Amino acid sequence: MGCASSRNLQVVTHSDPPANPNSVPAVSNNATSIPPTLKREYKVRKHSGPIDTFTILWKELPPKPELSLNQVCEIKPSNAMECWDCVRATSTPEGTTVTPALKRRGWKTIRLFVSSTFKDFHAEREVLVKQVFPELRLWCEKLKLHLIECDLRWGVPKEATSEETLRICLGEIDRCYEDNSWPFFLNLSSHRSGWIPSESDVPKYLAEEYGWIFGTSITEMEIIHGAFRRANPNSLFLIRDPEFIETLPPELKNDFTESSEQAANKMKLLKSCIKGRFPESRVVTYTCQYEGVDKITDTVRVTGLGADSVFVKSVIEFFKTRISYQYPLDNSEMDPLEVIREAHESFLNTRSSTVLGRDGILEKIQEYISSPGSGLPMIIVGVAGAGKSAVMARSAATTVNKALNNDIPGGSNKGWNVFYHFIGAAPGSTDLGFMLQRMLKEVKYVGEMPADTESLVRLSNTTLANPNLEPTILFFDALNQLDKTKDAEQVSWLPLNLSPNIRIVCSVINDTPCHRSLAGRTNQPKEILCGPLHLSCRREIVDQVLTKFNKRLDSMQMDLLLSKEASANPLWLSIACEELRVFGLFSKVTEMIKGLADGLLELLEQVLTRFEEESGGHLMVATLCFLECSRHGLLERELLELLGEDELLRPPTLEEYNEQIANGQKESSTQKSEPRESLANDLSKKLHVTVEETYRKGDLDSEKPMEEDKDVKSDSIAQNKRPPPLPAAKWAVVFRALKPFLRPCGDSGEGRLDFYHRAMSKAVRKKYFKKTSEDYRTYLYTWWHGKLAQYFEQIENHDRKAEELPYHLEKLLDHSRLARCLLEWPVFEKLAADEHNIELLRSWRNAGGYAAAASLYGQSLEQLCTHASDEEIVDKKWKVAHFLCCAGQFKDAEKLVIEAIDLENEKLGSRKEKLASFYQLLTDIKSDASKLAEFVSKDDAKKDYDIIQTGLKAISYRKNMKGDTNKYHLGLVELRVSFHYGAFTRAGRTYNDLTVQDAKKKCSDHCQNALNIFEALSDVGHKAETMQNIATFIHDGNYNKQLKVYNEALDLCLQAYGEYHKLTARIAFNMGISIEYRDKKLSYKYFKRAYDIKAEVFGPTHPSTLRYKAVIDEPGFKLIARQLEADDQQNS
């Protein structure tokens, strides 16, 4: 046949030798062009045949492209067929398949790129934006997918240059490739091909990067790049029926058709190529009809694009099929620990890829890891931006590989376990409590996981000093960036002497509080300085960065750049190279280098100023401020919706703010809620206000389903009031500028954006929040937190609401709204999960206290009972009771558990696993409440008997259940029951059918049961508690045996928890009681030790601390205290 094909393409070269393909043009004002004799020419033979035969050879493509992208952009096709010959010569055959993302249980962001011309597809794009994408987005959310549509025909800035427009359009497709491997690509075609850039419009670097086919339009290049060259299986093509054009009035046809016959034939060829390249099922022709012109928008109205139209159904059905295939959701129970581990692993892989000039530090870290345990951690110290995180990531990656290959000595038969934690790698990574919980789980700690940070600190201190811990290497990056707390800054969670089986490598910025705490220890850690880069390493970094973009500095420019003092900082150097890379005037590069600020934060401020001027203005400022004020970064979709307010995202200037103050018109967003103390003291008012705001309940006896529908409707109205998201083209400009400073979207898979390095956060604070007026600075923070709080109050993603909204309301000191947020059941359930107990407890402390929480949740449950299912009511009551037990609200917690048990037995079939948990929680509640009493009395027999009977019910359900988790909980109940059998013996009287003698025997039996379980689980802490029960109750009266077992329990307790733990205090106090009448002075020392521990752990005013204080304040012990003090003075 006489059709054009890739076989008609020939590469013709001159006889002179070709240029070195690795050479790059210099970024300087004296750069020379490549001599003509070194240029290569690529020509297309002009054998093109008729259009109807042109597409046959798409099925006969060679296995590999015949031309590279660099080569094809040198060709200058003379007609449309030659253009498509060039496309075919750079394309691969079909056959590549999409690999589904297996075992995906977390959120993921997907991007859908829409390609079309502008004027002639306004109606279709309106349908997509208002009907199709909202439906797809809701469907995606059920699969834990965030959908972002990229419709760049809407909102491309008018002032954008040709280069910027091309970069925005094709760069957005690149992001689709990066995030989803295969872009979800939708093309709309009719009779217009759109703007065709000239050769002068397309810079050489851009032409080479994308294999530009000169003579094609930007829309055609989107099709080529996003679908054609790789036969993208996720691409769909919708072609409007030609009959539509015939129905248009003559004055409108020019907007829908090409003016020349040549251009019209070009569109026919495009459609033929689409049909030849892709299966018939993915090339859909749809019909629609002209219906007139909208007088308000002056746009053409059409019919035939309704919900049942071919247009709408084709898009929805195709992308639902492709998305569900590529990203199936694993509905099995999600392990939060695994999700966080994957985020840190992704961060490690990103940061460890390139580390230059730090070989000596890397070697020293490996030497420390491979050497016998010294009991000391290793600290990597340096200024911000020194490359500490890269060193930590590379060291962790190297260590993981060595551990897998058993190349690290001293790991016993099991080898080494490796743990790493990077600040900023995952939500919650800056929270000390979360970090310690994650670390304890990873080192396989077996036992009850504390909910409060203080207990976690003590447990971590003890665990990391435990000589029986399995060999473990731990990396903690950027300790100075943990949320500012006393324990974080004093690094009190890190023991003075590590277990010989432990190696710990940490990084900190020098002279920060945590660095000073570590350096001030008596046993000083091994410290390595991550100092300035050597000159040769700096040159290597500059060459590597610029060469990637075909640029280089001459020797004078290089020397000028490296003469700056800040160039010894890797982060400063990489930012400076990025500034030079995007600088367009080669003749002014030297001046540009001279003008670079010689300081990291100062350079970042320069960069931010440039971003404002060139890439988004107030939208850039808003993006930076939103990210800075967010708690854990923001999803890209969230940013787009927040930025949709556009012109409203301009906080008042200092002058406007002062004017408002002067006029008494300060915005209500800056008004602080009533103080916490006042709120707690006026609880009845708080209950009324909060419940009224939260549920809008009015008449409590009204029908709840109707009220719920009303709430849903109100939420829907709030959703509709939200402005549309920021146009993708506007966002692309902002994102393209910020991308080097943001963590890659793909790191967590969900599209969460945050600053890559905290230095950027500091620069944002310095530039946009560090104001001369402290009141105005506070006002600005309040303004942005207010915007974020308003947004997160309206969203339907409760996981994100639970992560962000309480934080912003706490910042606003808006206690009423905070309580309302915590009362939303999905938010409560997210925060009440074990790993989130810390946040829920802290939030309620700020929202009025635990007593307020108990009353408010009680009212919420009353409303829930009027319309929810029995199963839901039982579940909610159990979860609230568990939280209230942690909060010390035992009376309310007990009431809820009893109600849950009754409902379970009456209506839900008495499920054994549920009743086991309910009775265990009820045992815990009653037991903890009973221990608030200062002393044991005879009247406590009834109370102990009741707790025993409750615990026995829990045991009866637990003992036939399988698994280590159940075994652990069974051990806890056995331990509780043994304690109260023992306490019963102290009462000294029979109650019902239980005698003192029987109780002592039962106490021994349950102690032994608990001991067997905890020994099997290697749970040292609870074994110590069991031993204490044995000493206190079983060996009571046998002084020597009792003291021996107490000492064994104390040794185990110190091994598991350390000195400052409530169990250590209890054992010491009981030992004091045991020997009080044999050795008064030694008894006092034990009582004093117990008191000191209680005062440190719970504070001097806690009831249990005061109980111990009352003992050592007895006259006899006060005399001993004075004698010991006098002895100390005499000895000193």
Side-chain angles (χ1 to χ4, degrees):
M1 296 183 186
C3 63
S5 76
S6 56
R7 285 178 281 189
N8 294 331
L9 261 173
Q10 283 193 343
V11 178
V12 182
T13 62
H14 289 291
S15 56
D16 294 319
N20 181 355
N22 296 320
S23 64
V24 293
V27 184
S28 65
N29 53 13
N30 58 356
T32 57
S33 61
I34 301 174
T37 55
L38 296 181
K39 286 187 176 180
R40 305 179 72 180
E41 292 184 4
Y42 308 91
K43 295 185 178 180
V44 181
R45 288 186 179 180
K46 301 176 181 178
H47 295 323
S48 301
I51 291 177
D52 57 355
T53 61
F54 186 74
T55 60
I56 295 174
L57 292 176
W58 278 113
K59 306 299 181 184
E60 300 181 15
L61 287 173
K64 294 182 179 180
E66 295 180 330
L67 293 178
S68 69
L69 300 184
N70 282 353
Q71 291 171 332
V72 78
C73 68
E74 295 286 344
I75 299 175
K76 305 300 181 287
S78 60
N79 58 51
M81 288 190 178
E82 289 183 9
C83 288
W84 285 99
D85 261 329
C86 292
V87 175
R88 192 158 36 221
T90 54
S91 299
T92 57
E94 292 185 62
T96 307
T97 58
V98 175
T99 303
L102 301 177
K103 297 183 179 179
R104 183 189 65 83
R105 290 175 289 188
W107 285 86
K108 169 74 180 172
T109 289
I110 58 172
R111 313 178 71 80
L112 198 163
F113 189 92
V114 181
S115 171
S116 75
T117 46
F118 183 72
K119 292 182 179 180
D120 53 332
F121 279 105
H122 176 82
E124 282 86 347
R125 290 199 322 277
E126 283 287 291
V127 171
L128 289 174
V129 169
K130 294 180 179 179
Q131 296 181 39
V132 176
F133 292 151
E135 180 177 339
L136 269 179
R137 189 172 296 112
L138 289 174
W139 176 82
C140 283
E141 287 175 358
K142 294 177 182 178
L143 296 179
K144 290 191 174 182
L145 295 169
H146 299 293
L147 173 67
I148 295 179
E149 67 270 15
C150 311
D151 181 5
L152 298 179
R153 301 279 69 77
W154 174 33
V156 174
K158 293 181 179 179
E159 66 276 10
T161 64
S162 299
E163 178 182 353
E164 288 173 333
T165 301
L166 301 179
R167 171 59 76 180
I168 288 172
C169 294
L170 298 184
E172 200 62 24
I173 297 176
D174 288 341
R175 292 193 66 198
C176 296
Y177 276 112
E178 291 169 8
D179 289 354
N180 305 125
S181 299
W182 291 98
F184 295 99
F185 184 93
L186 173 63
N187 172 255
L188 311 178
S189 294
S190 182
H191 287 69
R192 295 183 71 247
S193 62
W195 171 53
I196 300 176
S198 65
E199 188 173 348
S200 61
D201 289 325
V202 186
K204 188 173 187 299
Y205 82 93
L206 205 61
E208 292 178 346
E209 182 177 350
Y210 291 104
W212 199 272
I213 311 296
F214 288 100
T216 57
S217 68
I218 180 61
T219 304
E220 288 173 311
M221 275 306 300
E222 289 174 350
I223 297 170
I224 293 166
H225 183 50
F228 255 85
R229 281 182 170 144
R230 295 177 60 191
N232 180 5
N234 289 339
S235 56
L236 175 67
F237 298 86
L238 296 181
I239 299 176
R240 185 195 286 145
D241 192 310
E243 291 185 6
F244 172 79
I245 301 298
E246 303 305 320
T247 66
L248 290 171
E251 65 272 14
L252 293 177
K253 286 190 176 180
N254 286 341
D255 288 339
F256 287 80
T257 59
E258 295 289 359
S259 56
S260 68
E261 183 179 352
Q262 182 181 1
N265 288 334
K266 188 174 188 293
M267 280 306 298
K268 290 181 181 178
L269 180 57
L270 170 63
K271 295 174 187 176
S272 296
C273 287
I274 290 173
K275 293 176 180 178
R277 180 64 159 154
F278 298 99
E280 184 177 339
S281 60
R282 287 163 50 199
V283 183
V284 179
T285 298
Y286 68 95
T287 60
C288 58
Q289 299 79 38
Y290 170 73
E291 197 186 33
V293 176
D294 190 303
K295 294 181 180 179
I296 298 176
T297 62
D298 196 31
T299 55
V300 170
R301 296 200 310 267
V302 300
T303 59
L305 300 178
D308 294 327
S309 67
V310 172
F311 179 86
V312 170
K313 292 174 68 176
S314 297
V315 176
I316 291 177
E317 291 173 5
F318 175 79
F319 286 110
K320 280 186 177 180
T321 301
R322 296 308 303 169
I323 291 169
S324 60
Y325 174 78
Q326 187 164 336
Y327 294 110
L329 179 64
D330 185 346
N331 284 315
S332 60
E333 187 174 351
M334 190 173 172
D335 180 7
L337 187 63
E338 182 64 28
V339 174
I340 295 174
R341 185 188 297 124
E342 288 179 0
H344 283 273
E345 183 178 347
S346 177
F347 190 91
L348 178 145
N349 293 334
T350 302
R351 285 291 181 95
S352 64
S353 57
T354 303
V355 182
L356 299 173
R358 302 302 189 191
D359 292 346
I361 297 176
L362 295 171
E363 289 174 6
K364 288 180 181 179
I365 293 174
Q366 292 305 314
E367 287 175 6
Y368 163 77
I369 289 170
S370 300
S371 301
S374 63
L376 299 174
M378 173 173 276
I379 311 298
I380 312 301
V381 180
V383 298
K388 300 181 297 298
S389 293
V391 168
M392 293 287 287
R394 172 63 66 84
S395 296
T398 301
T399 304
V400 168
N401 290 331
K402 284 188 173 183
L404 290 173
N405 295 321
N406 294 317
D407 287 342
I408 305 174
S412 71
N413 295 331
K414 295 183 179 180
W416 288 89
N417 180 33
V418 181
F419 168 84
Y420 41 83
H421 184 90
F422 295 95
I423 299 297
S429 59
T430 61
D431 187 294
L432 176 62
F434 280 127
M435 184 186 84
L436 297 181
Q437 277 191 337
R438 177 172 171 259
M439 181 269 291
L440 289 165
K441 291 175 182 177
E442 290 282 8
V443 299
K444 299 178 176 59
Y445 166 75
V446 178
E448 185 177 1
M449 188 67 70
D452 62 289
T453 304
E454 289 184 3
S455 299
L456 284 166
V457 166
R458 291 190 298 272
L459 180 56
S460 300
N461 204 298
T462 304
T463 302
L464 295 175
N466 184 355
N468 298 319
L469 191 68
E470 292 184 4
T472 307
I473 302 164
L474 303 102
F475 292 86
F476 296 96
D477 181 45
L479 292 182
N480 54 281
Q481 290 184 20
L482 288 168
D483 296 336
K484 290 184 179 180
T485 63
K486 174 185 173 183
D487 290 314
E489 293 188 341
Q490 294 183 354
V491 202
S492 52
W493 56 272
L494 192 62
L496 294 176
N497 294 292
L498 297 175
S499 163
N501 295 332
I502 288 289
R503 308 287 187 274
I504 291 182
V505 184
C506 306
S507 71
V508 294
I509 289 180
N510 57 317
D511 204 34
T512 51
C514 60
H515 177 224
R516 291 194 292 270
S517 296
L518 290 168
R521 291 187 170 192
T522 52
N523 295 337
Q524 288 189 352
K526 298 180 179 181
E527 191 170 294
I528 297 178
L529 178 64
C530 190
L533 284 171
H534 295 300
L535 193 60
S536 60
C537 298
R538 296 184 233 171
R539 291 184 185 277
E540 189 176 355
I541 289 174
V542 175
D543 283 336
Q544 187 180 78
V545 173
L546 293 182
T547 300
K548 190 189 302 182
F549 299 98
N550 294 327
K551 296 183 178 181
R552 69 165 180 257
L553 300 178
D554 62 29
S555 59
M556 184 191 73
Q557 292 165 341
M558 179 71 80
D559 292 341
L560 181 61
L561 178 65
L562 301 186
S563 67
K564 291 182 180 287
E565 185 178 342
S567 68
N569 183 294
L571 182 58
W572 184 96
L573 199 57
S574 62
I575 294 170
C577 288
E578 178 66 16
E579 286 297 280
L580 294 173
R581 182 185 76 79
V582 300
F583 187 66
L585 299 175
F586 294 165
S587 61
K588 300 291 185 181
V589 168
T590 302
E591 287 74 11
M592 173 68 178
I593 294 173
K594 290 179 181 178
L596 292 173
D598 197 357
L600 179 58
L601 292 185
E602 291 74 16
L603 178 60
L604 283 169
E605 283 191 82
Q606 277 187 347
V607 172
L608 294 177
T609 300
R610 178 175 68 81
F611 285 173
E612 281 186 61
E613 295 172 352
E614 300 177 0
S615 305
H618 72 283
L619 288 175
M620 174 62 70
V621 176
T623 301
L624 294 166
C625 292
F626 277 137
L627 289 176
E628 173 58 29
C629 291
S630 69
R631 186 176 186 195
H632 297 312
L634 295 169
L635 297 178
E636 188 172 0
R637 182 73 199 173
E638 292 166 352
L639 262 175
L640 290 173
E641 291 175 348
L642 283 162
L643 295 173
E645 290 189 89
D646 203 344
E647 294 301 322
L648 298 178
L649 297 175
R650 301 175 189 263
T653 63
L654 179 58
E655 292 74 18
E656 292 169 339
Y657 168 76
N658 287 332
E659 186 178 344
Q660 288 177 4
I661 296 297
N663 296 333
Q665 296 175 348
K666 190 173 181 180
E667 291 187 20
S668 60
S669 63
T670 65
Q671 296 176 356
K672 298 180 180 179
S673 300
E674 53 186 324
R676 190 179 310 162
E677 295 80 5
S678 172
L679 197 67
N681 292 336
D682 195 3
L683 181 59
S684 61
K685 178 181 178 182
K686 174 180 175 58
L687 293 178
H688 172 76
V689 172
T690 305
V691 174
E692 193 73 24
E693 288 182 349
T694 307
Y695 297 102
R696 300 182 290 278
K697 67 178 188 177
D699 184 3
L700 288 173
D701 297 326
S702 63
E703 188 176 353
K704 288 300 182 285
M706 291 178 61
E707 187 174 332
E708 184 180 11
D709 290 341
K710 180 181 176 182
D711 287 348
V712 172
K713 183 178 179 181
S714 299
D715 288 344
S716 176
I717 293 172
Q719 292 284 336
N720 292 334
K721 287 183 179 179
R722 187 186 302 160
L726 185 72
K730 285 188 175 182
W731 168 241
V733 174
V734 175
F735 178 80
R736 186 160 53 89
L738 280 179
K739 186 177 181 181
F741 301 97
L742 300 176
R743 287 209 314 275
C745 282
D747 269 12
S748 61
E750 59 179 343
R752 192 188 296 259
L753 297 174
D754 201 359
F755 297 129
Y756 201 93
H757 198 286
R758 299 322 297 171
M760 188 64 165
S761 174
K762 291 179 182 178
V764 170
R765 292 199 299 270
K766 183 179 178 183
K767 183 171 177 61
Y768 300 112
F769 293 99
K770 192 173 183 180
K771 305 297 180 181
T772 53
S773 167
E774 182 64 26
D775 287 344
Y776 182 55
R777 174 181 175 277
T778 302
Y779 172 83
L780 287 176
Y781 273 114
T782 303
W783 198 90
W784 291 108
H785 281 297
K787 288 286 184 183
L788 287 162
Q790 184 181 26
Y791 171 79
F792 281 107
E793 275 182 319
Q794 296 179 1
I795 67 169
E796 297 176 355
N797 184 337
H798 288 96
D799 285 357
R800 289 291 293 137
K801 178 180 283 191
E803 281 183 16
E804 289 283 339
L805 183 55
Y807 171 77
H808 298 296
L809 295 175
E810 287 172 26
K811 290 292 184 182
L812 294 171
L813 301 180
D814 197 332
H815 305 135
S816 179
R817 286 166 70 195
L818 176 58
R820 188 173 66 209
C821 165
L822 299 175
L823 287 169
E824 291 186 35
W825 287 119
V827 173
F828 166 79
E829 292 192 81
K830 175 69 176 177
L831 294 175
D834 285 342
E835 63 269 28
H836 294 289
N837 266 338
I838 298 171
E839 289 195 31
L840 187 58
L841 290 167
R842 187 199 65 236
S843 293
W844 271 112
R845 285 198 295 271
N846 291 324
Y850 300 146
S855 297
L856 287 167
Y857 281 128
Q859 291 197 19
S860 298
L861 285 168
E862 287 179 11
Q863 295 176 53
L864 188 74
C865 290
T866 63
H867 62 274
S869 67
D870 293 333
E871 190 168 353
E872 183 181 357
I873 293 169
V874 164
D875 181 65
K876 292 293 192 301
K877 288 190 174 185
W878 143 253
K879 288 176 179 175
V880 172
H882 184 271
F883 162 67
L884 293 179
C885 180
C886 294
Q889 304 301 303
F890 301 119
K891 184 178 179 180
D892 295 290
E894 181 177 349
K895 175 177 177 290
L896 290 177
V897 177
I898 292 173
E899 290 173 358
I901 291 172
D902 291 343
L903 191 56
E904 178 67 36
N905 285 324
E906 292 170 8
K907 296 188 177 181
L908 295 174
S910 303
R911 295 166 294 179
K912 290 184 179 179
E913 67 280 0
K914 293 293 183 182
L915 289 173
S917 297
F918 294 168
Y919 278 113
Q920 181 175 354
L921 177 58
L922 185 57
T923 305
D924 291 343
I925 293 168
K926 291 181 176 181
S927 177
D928 287 345
S930 72
K931 290 173 184 175
L932 293 178
E934 291 190 6
F935 297 101
V936 176
S937 68
K938 290 185 178 181
D939 294 334
D940 288 335
K942 179 179 181 301
K943 187 189 306 179
D944 289 315
Y945 182 87
D946 178 52
I947 297 171
I948 289 167
Q949 299 310 309
T950 305
L952 290 176
K953 288 181 181 178
I955 290 172
S956 69
Y957 289 111
R958 285 272 180 215
K959 65 182 180 181
N960 295 320
M961 296 168 66
K962 306 295 183 182
D964 283 349
T965 300
N966 175 70
K967 186 185 292 185
Y968 168 72
H969 285 291
L970 177 60
L972 293 180
V973 185
E974 294 278 7
L975 182 59
R976 291 273 190 182
V977 169
S978 72
F979 176 86
H980 287 283
Y981 268 123
F984 183 91
T985 65
R986 293 290 178 89
R989 68 187 184 92
T990 301
Y991 183 82
N992 281 355
D993 58 343
L994 184 62
T995 66
V996 172
Q997 186 176 0
D998 287 343
K1000 190 165 186 176
K1001 174 68 168 57
K1002 296 286 187 180
C1003 176
S1004 177
D1005 292 342
H1006 286 283
C1007 279
Q1008 191 59 53
N1009 293 343
L1011 202 60
N1012 293 339
I1013 290 172
F1014 294 132
E1015 284 179 345
L1017 294 174
S1018 301
D1019 186 344
V1020 177
H1022 286 104
K1023 181 180 177 182
E1025 192 170 355
T1026 307
M1027 296 288 285
Q1028 180 207 223
N1029 284 359
I1030 292 173
T1032 302
F1033 303 119
I1034 307 304
H1035 299 304
D1036 188 21
N1038 187 340
Y1039 172 75
N1040 292 328
K1041 183 68 173 177
Q1042 186 180 50
L1043 198 60
K1044 179 177 181 293
V1045 177
Y1046 268 138
N1047 279 312
E1048 290 176 7
L1050 185 59
D1051 289 342
L1052 290 171
C1053 182
L1054 292 173
Q1055 179 182 332
Y1057 302 126
E1059 176 74 6
Y1060 291 98
H1061 190 271
K1062 61 182 181 181
L1063 180 59
T1064 311
R1066 235 164 58 213
I1067 295 173
F1069 191 82
N1070 285 332
M1071 292 177 76
I1073 294 173
S1074 176
I1075 63 175
E1076 182 175 0
Y1077 298 107
R1078 294 174 179 267
D1079 189 334
K1080 197 82 171 179
K1081 182 179 291 188
L1082 183 57
S1083 173
Y1084 169 78
K1085 289 182 178 179
Y1086 278 118
F1087 286 141
K1088 180 64 165 60
R1089 180 180 180 181
Y1091 167 75
D1092 289 342
I1093 294 171
K1094 283 280 187 175
E1096 176 67 24
V1097 173
F1098 294 109
T1101 60
H1102 192 276
S1104 62
T1105 308
L1106 295 174
R1107 175 192 171 195
Y1108 286 15
K1109 182 72 164 57
V1111 173
I1112 61 174
D1113 280 348
E1114 291 175 5
F1117 287 126
K1118 278 193 170 184
L1119 179 61
I1120 292 172
R1122 288 195 292 269
Q1123 291 174 348
L1124 291 173
E1125 185 177 352
D1127 291 343
D1128 289 340
Q1129 290 177 353
Q1130 185 177 355
N1131 292 333
S1132 61

